[in-house]
Amino acid sequence: MSDSRVLGKVAYVTGAGQGIGKAIAERLAKDGFAVSCADFNIDAANQVADGINKNGGKAIAVKVDVSDRDQVFNTVKETVEKLGGLDVVVNNAGIGPSTPIEEITPEIYRKVFDINVGGTLWGIQAAVAAFKKLGHGGKIINASSQAGQVGNPDLAVYGGTKFAIRGITQTAARDLAHLGITVNAYCPGIVKTPMMMGIAKEVADAAGKPFEWGLNQFAQNITLKRLSEPEDVAACVSYLAGPDSDYMTGQALIIDGGMVFN
Ligand SMILES: NC(=O)C1=CN([C@@H]2O[C@H](COP(=O)(O)OP(=O)(O)OC[C@H]3O[C@@H](n4cnc5c(N)ncnc54)[C@H](O)[C@@H]3O)[C@@H](O)[C@H]2O)C=CC1
Ligand SMILES: CC(=O)C(C)=O
């Protein structure tokens, strides 16, 4: 059921073409947001936007490589022009290769940080510019991870980006509060998406083990004894995007089924 408090508001979600981003876009549309589905894979983003529109929501798809600052600014501008405003930016897009310490190369380091950390910084910057031009504050929501809370096997580079995103979230919260902007993050656990399944396979293959062994390296200590659905994460982001979280900023909400206990 939609929330009358967000009707007429606009959300820009990166990585909305599949996985967690798709679930976030669909949930925010159900909540009542008009949604800009931003993704490198424009065909996938179009499918998500078409599905939202067919279900009575309002959505567009925009092609973006979040590692390219100009593309992020241009697609945020396109969102404002086509949907009539902007209130929430979800910096969800990311890549997650497994990187055994001795196999890390400068190329993979730069690529993962450019997308995961650069994409978050450019999304924050573009959101601030749009909110200021529109004359109001807003909400910025960044994708961290349980792997941004504790070190995970073979994820030194990816996990490093997720730790970085928590720190960026805290600093941005402090720096942007005077503009009426809150900045928070979400830390999913082991979510059934192509990214996670890919990591599990890479870890298993590197160890010469079956896929299930690789997945279990990450999923064996989930208190609730089930993998996360993308919709579990979208429910957390729905809270962060809505007015009930207005008094929250600089936080990284852990939505992992009970893996990390701070
Ligand atoms: N799947 C999991 O278990 C977890 C995922 N996360 C985080 O959640 C976010 C989403 O992850 P998933 O849905 O699992 O990933 P996914 O790989 O299933 O989907 C990622 C989406 O982002 C898009 N994308 C990738 N690089 C892009 C770029 N440079 N510019 C624009 N779009 C780009 C892809 O086309 C894809 O549609 C990521 O930030 C990830 O780090 C955090 C914790 C756990
Ligand atoms: C992909 C990810 O963020 C994990 C394993 O927590």
Short mmCIF file of all heavy atoms in Angstrom, two decimals, residues 14-22 38-41 44 64-67 91-96 115-116 143-147 158 161-162 165 186-197 233, ligand 1:
data_model
loop_
_atom_site.label_atom_id
_atom_site.label_comp_id
_atom_site.label_asym_id
_atom_site.label_seq_id
_atom_site.Cartn_x
_atom_site.Cartn_y
_atom_site.Cartn_z
N THR A 14 20.44 3.65 -8.63
CA THR A 14 21.42 3.10 -9.56
C THR A 14 21.50 1.58 -9.40
O THR A 14 21.19 1.04 -8.34
CB THR A 14 22.82 3.71 -9.33
OG1 THR A 14 23.32 3.29 -8.05
CG2 THR A 14 22.77 5.22 -9.43
N GLY A 15 21.91 0.92 -10.47
CA GLY A 15 21.95 -0.53 -10.44
C GLY A 15 20.57 -1.13 -10.35
O GLY A 15 20.38 -2.21 -9.79
N ALA A 16 19.58 -0.43 -10.92
CA ALA A 16 18.17 -0.86 -10.77
C ALA A 16 17.78 -1.95 -11.77
O ALA A 16 16.64 -2.41 -11.77
CB ALA A 16 17.25 0.35 -10.95
N GLY A 17 18.70 -2.36 -12.60
CA GLY A 17 18.37 -3.34 -13.64
C GLY A 17 18.17 -4.75 -13.15
O GLY A 17 17.50 -5.56 -13.80
N GLN A 18 18.75 -5.09 -11.99
CA GLN A 18 18.60 -6.44 -11.47
C GLN A 18 18.87 -6.46 -9.99
O GLN A 18 19.25 -5.44 -9.40
CB GLN A 18 19.55 -7.43 -12.18
CG GLN A 18 21.02 -7.24 -11.84
CD GLN A 18 21.92 -8.23 -12.58
OE1 GLN A 18 21.67 -8.57 -13.73
NE2 GLN A 18 22.98 -8.67 -11.92
N GLY A 19 18.67 -7.60 -9.38
CA GLY A 19 19.10 -7.82 -8.00
C GLY A 19 18.47 -6.88 -6.99
O GLY A 19 17.28 -6.60 -7.03
N ILE A 20 19.31 -6.39 -6.09
CA ILE A 20 18.82 -5.53 -5.01
C ILE A 20 18.26 -4.22 -5.55
O ILE A 20 17.23 -3.72 -5.10
CB ILE A 20 19.95 -5.28 -3.99
CG1 ILE A 20 20.30 -6.58 -3.26
CG2 ILE A 20 19.59 -4.16 -3.03
CD1 ILE A 20 21.56 -6.53 -2.46
N GLY A 21 18.93 -3.64 -6.56
CA GLY A 21 18.47 -2.37 -7.12
C GLY A 21 17.11 -2.48 -7.76
O GLY A 21 16.27 -1.57 -7.62
N LYS A 22 16.85 -3.59 -8.42
CA LYS A 22 15.53 -3.85 -9.02
C LYS A 22 14.47 -3.90 -7.92
O LYS A 22 13.42 -3.27 -8.01
CB LYS A 22 15.55 -5.15 -9.81
CG LYS A 22 14.22 -5.60 -10.40
CD LYS A 22 14.42 -6.84 -11.26
CE LYS A 22 13.10 -7.30 -11.89
NZ LYS A 22 12.20 -7.97 -10.88
N ALA A 38 18.25 3.66 -12.96
CA ALA A 38 19.52 3.96 -13.63
C ALA A 38 20.39 2.72 -13.63
O ALA A 38 20.57 2.06 -12.59
CB ALA A 38 20.23 5.08 -12.89
N ASP A 39 20.94 2.38 -14.78
CA ASP A 39 21.78 1.18 -14.84
C ASP A 39 22.66 1.24 -16.09
O ASP A 39 22.31 1.87 -17.09
CB ASP A 39 20.91 -0.09 -14.88
CG ASP A 39 21.66 -1.33 -14.43
OD1 ASP A 39 22.58 -1.76 -15.16
OD2 ASP A 39 21.34 -1.87 -13.35
N PHE A 40 23.81 0.54 -15.97
CA PHE A 40 24.70 0.41 -17.12
C PHE A 40 24.01 -0.41 -18.20
O PHE A 40 24.18 -0.20 -19.39
CB PHE A 40 25.98 -0.30 -16.63
CG PHE A 40 27.07 -0.38 -17.64
CD1 PHE A 40 27.78 0.77 -18.01
CD2 PHE A 40 27.41 -1.59 -18.24
CE1 PHE A 40 28.81 0.70 -18.94
CE2 PHE A 40 28.44 -1.66 -19.18
CZ PHE A 40 29.14 -0.52 -19.52
N ASN A 41 23.18 -1.37 -17.75
CA ASN A 41 22.42 -2.23 -18.65
C ASN A 41 21.06 -1.60 -18.89
O ASN A 41 20.11 -1.82 -18.12
CB ASN A 41 22.28 -3.62 -18.01
CG ASN A 41 21.54 -4.62 -18.90
OD1 ASN A 41 20.79 -4.22 -19.80
ND2 ASN A 41 21.76 -5.90 -18.66
N ALA A 44 17.93 -3.90 -19.26
CA ALA A 44 17.40 -4.40 -17.99
C ALA A 44 16.66 -3.30 -17.24
O ALA A 44 15.59 -3.52 -16.68
CB ALA A 44 18.55 -4.94 -17.13
N VAL A 64 23.47 4.68 -17.39
CA VAL A 64 24.56 5.37 -16.68
C VAL A 64 25.68 4.39 -16.34
O VAL A 64 25.43 3.21 -16.06
CB VAL A 64 24.03 6.02 -15.38
CG1 VAL A 64 23.64 4.98 -14.34
CG2 VAL A 64 25.08 6.97 -14.80
N ASP A 65 26.89 4.87 -16.44
CA ASP A 65 28.05 4.20 -15.84
C ASP A 65 28.41 5.06 -14.64
O ASP A 65 28.91 6.17 -14.79
CB ASP A 65 29.22 4.13 -16.83
CG ASP A 65 30.47 3.55 -16.19
OD1 ASP A 65 30.50 3.38 -14.94
OD2 ASP A 65 31.44 3.27 -16.93
N VAL A 66 28.14 4.57 -13.44
CA VAL A 66 28.27 5.40 -12.24
C VAL A 66 29.73 5.80 -11.96
O VAL A 66 29.98 6.71 -11.19
CB VAL A 66 27.67 4.73 -10.98
CG1 VAL A 66 26.17 4.54 -11.13
CG2 VAL A 66 28.39 3.43 -10.65
N SER A 67 30.68 5.12 -12.63
CA SER A 67 32.08 5.52 -12.43
C SER A 67 32.41 6.78 -13.21
O SER A 67 33.48 7.37 -13.03
CB SER A 67 33.02 4.39 -12.86
OG SER A 67 32.96 4.18 -14.27
N ASN A 91 22.41 5.13 -4.04
CA ASN A 91 23.65 4.74 -4.73
C ASN A 91 23.88 3.26 -4.50
O ASN A 91 24.61 2.84 -3.59
CB ASN A 91 24.82 5.58 -4.21
CG ASN A 91 24.66 7.05 -4.55
OD1 ASN A 91 24.45 7.40 -5.71
ND2 ASN A 91 24.72 7.91 -3.54
N ASN A 92 23.21 2.45 -5.30
CA ASN A 92 23.17 1.00 -5.12
C ASN A 92 24.14 0.26 -6.03
O ASN A 92 24.64 -0.81 -5.67
CB ASN A 92 21.74 0.51 -5.36
CG ASN A 92 21.64 -0.99 -5.47
OD1 ASN A 92 21.66 -1.70 -4.47
ND2 ASN A 92 21.56 -1.50 -6.69
N ALA A 93 24.40 0.78 -7.23
CA ALA A 93 25.20 0.05 -8.22
C ALA A 93 26.57 -0.31 -7.65
O ALA A 93 27.19 0.46 -6.92
CB ALA A 93 25.37 0.88 -9.48
N GLY A 94 27.02 -1.49 -7.99
CA GLY A 94 28.35 -1.91 -7.56
C GLY A 94 28.75 -3.21 -8.23
O GLY A 94 27.92 -3.91 -8.80
N ILE A 95 30.05 -3.51 -8.15
CA ILE A 95 30.55 -4.81 -8.63
C ILE A 95 31.30 -5.49 -7.51
O ILE A 95 31.86 -4.83 -6.62
CB ILE A 95 31.44 -4.67 -9.89
CG1 ILE A 95 32.69 -3.83 -9.61
CG2 ILE A 95 30.64 -4.10 -11.05
CD1 ILE A 95 33.69 -3.84 -10.75
N GLY A 96 31.30 -6.82 -7.53
CA GLY A 96 31.88 -7.55 -6.41
C GLY A 96 32.68 -8.76 -6.84
O GLY A 96 32.27 -9.90 -6.64
N ILE A 115 33.95 2.24 -9.53
CA ILE A 115 32.50 2.00 -9.58
C ILE A 115 31.87 2.12 -8.19
O ILE A 115 30.93 2.88 -7.98
CB ILE A 115 32.20 0.62 -10.20
CG1 ILE A 115 32.59 0.63 -11.69
CG2 ILE A 115 30.72 0.26 -10.03
CD1 ILE A 115 32.55 -0.74 -12.35
N ASN A 116 32.40 1.36 -7.23
CA ASN A 116 31.71 1.28 -5.93
C ASN A 116 31.87 2.56 -5.11
O ASN A 116 30.90 3.07 -4.55
CB ASN A 116 32.26 0.09 -5.13
CG ASN A 116 31.94 -1.25 -5.76
OD1 ASN A 116 31.43 -1.31 -6.90
ND2 ASN A 116 32.24 -2.34 -5.08
N ALA A 143 24.87 1.98 -0.66
CA ALA A 143 24.98 0.54 -0.46
C ALA A 143 26.32 0.18 0.15
O ALA A 143 27.36 0.29 -0.51
CB ALA A 143 24.81 -0.19 -1.79
N SER A 144 26.29 -0.24 1.42
CA SER A 144 27.49 -0.85 2.00
C SER A 144 27.25 -2.35 2.00
O SER A 144 26.76 -2.90 1.01
CB SER A 144 27.76 -0.29 3.40
OG SER A 144 28.91 -0.88 3.97
N SER A 145 27.56 -3.03 3.11
CA SER A 145 27.43 -4.49 3.15
C SER A 145 27.87 -4.98 4.51
O SER A 145 28.61 -4.29 5.22
CB SER A 145 28.35 -5.13 2.07
OG SER A 145 28.45 -6.53 2.27
N GLN A 146 27.47 -6.21 4.84
CA GLN A 146 28.06 -6.84 6.02
C GLN A 146 29.57 -6.96 5.79
O GLN A 146 30.35 -6.93 6.72
CB GLN A 146 27.41 -8.19 6.33
CG GLN A 146 27.57 -9.27 5.28
CD GLN A 146 28.90 -9.99 5.34
OE1 GLN A 146 29.58 -10.01 6.36
NE2 GLN A 146 29.29 -10.60 4.22
N ALA A 147 29.95 -7.03 4.52
CA ALA A 147 31.39 -7.08 4.17
C ALA A 147 32.04 -5.71 4.33
O ALA A 147 33.26 -5.58 4.15
CB ALA A 147 31.58 -7.59 2.75
N TYR A 158 36.78 -5.54 -2.66
CA TYR A 158 35.34 -5.25 -2.55
C TYR A 158 34.99 -4.80 -1.15
O TYR A 158 34.35 -3.77 -0.93
CB TYR A 158 34.53 -6.49 -2.91
CG TYR A 158 33.06 -6.36 -2.63
CD1 TYR A 158 32.23 -5.66 -3.50
CD2 TYR A 158 32.49 -6.92 -1.49
CE1 TYR A 158 30.88 -5.53 -3.24
CE2 TYR A 158 31.14 -6.79 -1.22
CZ TYR A 158 30.35 -6.09 -2.10
OH TYR A 158 29.00 -5.95 -1.83
N THR A 161 35.93 -1.34 -0.41
CA THR A 161 35.02 -0.30 -0.90
C THR A 161 33.81 -0.15 0.01
O THR A 161 33.31 0.95 0.22
CB THR A 161 34.55 -0.59 -2.35
OG1 THR A 161 33.68 -1.72 -2.38
CG2 THR A 161 35.73 -0.81 -3.28
N LYS A 162 33.36 -1.25 0.57
CA LYS A 162 32.16 -1.21 1.42
C LYS A 162 32.45 -0.59 2.79
O LYS A 162 31.60 0.08 3.36
CB LYS A 162 31.56 -2.62 1.52
CG LYS A 162 31.05 -3.14 0.18
CD LYS A 162 29.91 -2.27 -0.34
CE LYS A 162 29.75 -2.32 -1.84
NZ LYS A 162 28.59 -1.55 -2.34
N ILE A 165 32.57 3.14 2.00
CA ILE A 165 31.24 3.74 1.83
C ILE A 165 30.61 4.09 3.18
O ILE A 165 29.93 5.10 3.33
CB ILE A 165 30.34 2.81 0.98
CG1 ILE A 165 30.80 2.85 -0.48
CG2 ILE A 165 28.86 3.19 1.10
CD1 ILE A 165 30.27 1.75 -1.35
N TYR A 186 22.90 1.11 3.85
CA TYR A 186 22.34 -0.19 4.20
C TYR A 186 23.42 -1.24 4.00
O TYR A 186 24.24 -1.13 3.09
CB TYR A 186 21.07 -0.52 3.40
CG TYR A 186 21.18 -0.38 1.90
CD1 TYR A 186 21.35 -1.49 1.08
CD2 TYR A 186 21.10 0.87 1.29
CE1 TYR A 186 21.44 -1.35 -0.30
CE2 TYR A 186 21.19 1.02 -0.08
CZ TYR A 186 21.36 -0.11 -0.88
OH TYR A 186 21.45 0.05 -2.25
N CYS A 187 23.41 -2.24 4.90
CA CYS A 187 24.43 -3.30 4.88
C CYS A 187 23.74 -4.65 4.75
O CYS A 187 23.42 -5.30 5.75
CB CYS A 187 25.26 -3.28 6.15
SG CYS A 187 26.12 -1.72 6.45
N PRO A 188 23.48 -5.08 3.52
CA PRO A 188 22.84 -6.38 3.33
C PRO A 188 23.78 -7.51 3.73
O PRO A 188 24.99 -7.32 3.88
CB PRO A 188 22.51 -6.41 1.84
CG PRO A 188 22.61 -4.99 1.37
CD PRO A 188 23.63 -4.36 2.25
N GLY A 189 23.21 -8.70 3.83
CA GLY A 189 24.00 -9.90 4.14
C GLY A 189 24.30 -10.68 2.89
O GLY A 189 24.94 -10.17 1.97
N ILE A 190 23.85 -11.92 2.85
CA ILE A 190 24.08 -12.80 1.69
C ILE A 190 22.78 -12.86 0.91
O ILE A 190 21.85 -13.58 1.31
CB ILE A 190 24.55 -14.19 2.16
CG1 ILE A 190 25.73 -14.04 3.13
CG2 ILE A 190 24.92 -15.06 0.95
CD1 ILE A 190 26.88 -13.22 2.59
N VAL A 191 22.71 -12.11 -0.17
CA VAL A 191 21.46 -11.88 -0.90
C VAL A 191 21.47 -12.67 -2.21
O VAL A 191 22.50 -12.72 -2.90
CB VAL A 191 21.25 -10.39 -1.19
CG1 VAL A 191 19.82 -10.13 -1.69
CG2 VAL A 191 21.52 -9.54 0.07
N LYS A 192 20.35 -13.25 -2.51
CA LYS A 192 20.24 -14.09 -3.71
C LYS A 192 20.20 -13.23 -4.98
O LYS A 192 19.13 -12.88 -5.48
CB LYS A 192 18.97 -14.95 -3.62
CG LYS A 192 19.05 -16.05 -2.58
CD LYS A 192 17.86 -17.01 -2.76
CE LYS A 192 16.95 -16.98 -1.56
NZ LYS A 192 15.77 -17.87 -1.70
N THR A 193 21.38 -12.83 -5.44
CA THR A 193 21.49 -12.02 -6.65
C THR A 193 22.64 -12.57 -7.50
O THR A 193 23.50 -13.31 -6.99
CB THR A 193 21.82 -10.56 -6.33
OG1 THR A 193 23.20 -10.47 -5.91
CG2 THR A 193 20.90 -9.99 -5.28
N PRO A 194 22.71 -12.16 -8.77
CA PRO A 194 23.84 -12.61 -9.61
C PRO A 194 25.19 -12.25 -9.02
O PRO A 194 26.15 -13.03 -9.13
CB PRO A 194 23.57 -11.88 -10.92
CG PRO A 194 22.08 -11.75 -10.98
CD PRO A 194 21.66 -11.48 -9.55
N MET A 195 25.30 -11.10 -8.34
CA MET A 195 26.60 -10.74 -7.75
C MET A 195 27.03 -11.79 -6.73
O MET A 195 28.15 -12.31 -6.79
CB MET A 195 26.56 -9.38 -7.06
CG MET A 195 27.87 -9.08 -6.33
SD MET A 195 27.79 -7.66 -5.25
CE MET A 195 27.90 -6.36 -6.46
N MET A 196 26.12 -12.12 -5.82
CA MET A 196 26.49 -13.04 -4.73
C MET A 196 26.76 -14.43 -5.27
O MET A 196 27.71 -15.10 -4.85
CB MET A 196 25.37 -13.07 -3.69
CG MET A 196 25.74 -13.85 -2.44
SD MET A 196 27.18 -13.16 -1.60
CE MET A 196 28.29 -14.57 -1.58
N MET A 197 25.95 -14.87 -6.19
CA MET A 197 26.15 -16.21 -6.75
C MET A 197 27.48 -16.28 -7.50
O MET A 197 28.20 -17.28 -7.44
CB MET A 197 24.99 -16.59 -7.66
CG MET A 197 23.63 -16.65 -6.94
SD MET A 197 23.63 -17.72 -5.48
CE MET A 197 23.32 -16.55 -4.15
N VAL A 233 16.13 -6.46 1.62
CA VAL A 233 16.96 -5.24 1.59
C VAL A 233 16.12 -4.04 1.17
O VAL A 233 16.22 -2.95 1.75
CB VAL A 233 18.15 -5.41 0.64
CG1 VAL A 233 19.04 -4.17 0.66
CG2 VAL A 233 18.96 -6.66 1.01
N1 LIG B 1 24.22 -9.53 -3.31
C1 LIG B 1 24.66 -9.44 -2.07
O1 LIG B 1 24.76 -10.45 -1.34
C2 LIG B 1 25.04 -8.11 -1.52
C3 LIG B 1 25.10 -6.94 -2.30
N2 LIG B 1 25.44 -5.76 -1.70
C4 LIG B 1 25.52 -4.53 -2.48
O2 LIG B 1 24.23 -4.27 -3.05
C5 LIG B 1 24.39 -3.59 -4.31
C6 LIG B 1 23.65 -4.35 -5.38
O3 LIG B 1 24.20 -5.64 -5.42
P1 LIG B 1 23.50 -6.82 -6.27
O4 LIG B 1 22.08 -6.48 -6.58
O5 LIG B 1 23.83 -8.09 -5.58
O6 LIG B 1 24.37 -6.74 -7.63
P2 LIG B 1 24.09 -7.31 -9.09
O7 LIG B 1 25.45 -7.53 -9.69
O8 LIG B 1 23.14 -8.43 -9.05
O9 LIG B 1 23.39 -6.05 -9.80
C7 LIG B 1 24.13 -4.87 -9.92
C8 LIG B 1 23.49 -3.96 -10.93
O10 LIG B 1 24.31 -2.81 -11.04
C9 LIG B 1 24.60 -2.56 -12.41
N3 LIG B 1 25.93 -1.95 -12.54
C10 LIG B 1 27.13 -2.54 -12.36
N4 LIG B 1 28.13 -1.67 -12.59
C11 LIG B 1 27.53 -0.49 -12.93
C12 LIG B 1 28.03 0.78 -13.30
N5 LIG B 1 29.34 1.01 -13.41
N6 LIG B 1 27.12 1.77 -13.55
C13 LIG B 1 25.79 1.52 -13.47
N7 LIG B 1 25.25 0.32 -13.15
C14 LIG B 1 26.13 -0.66 -12.89
C15 LIG B 1 24.53 -3.91 -13.10
O11 LIG B 1 24.25 -3.75 -14.49
C16 LIG B 1 23.40 -4.58 -12.33
O12 LIG B 1 22.15 -4.32 -12.92
C17 LIG B 1 25.91 -3.50 -4.55
O13 LIG B 1 26.37 -2.22 -4.16
C18 LIG B 1 26.49 -4.57 -3.63
O14 LIG B 1 27.80 -4.23 -3.21
C19 LIG B 1 25.77 -5.66 -0.36
C20 LIG B 1 25.73 -6.78 0.43
C21 LIG B 1 25.36 -8.07 -0.09
#
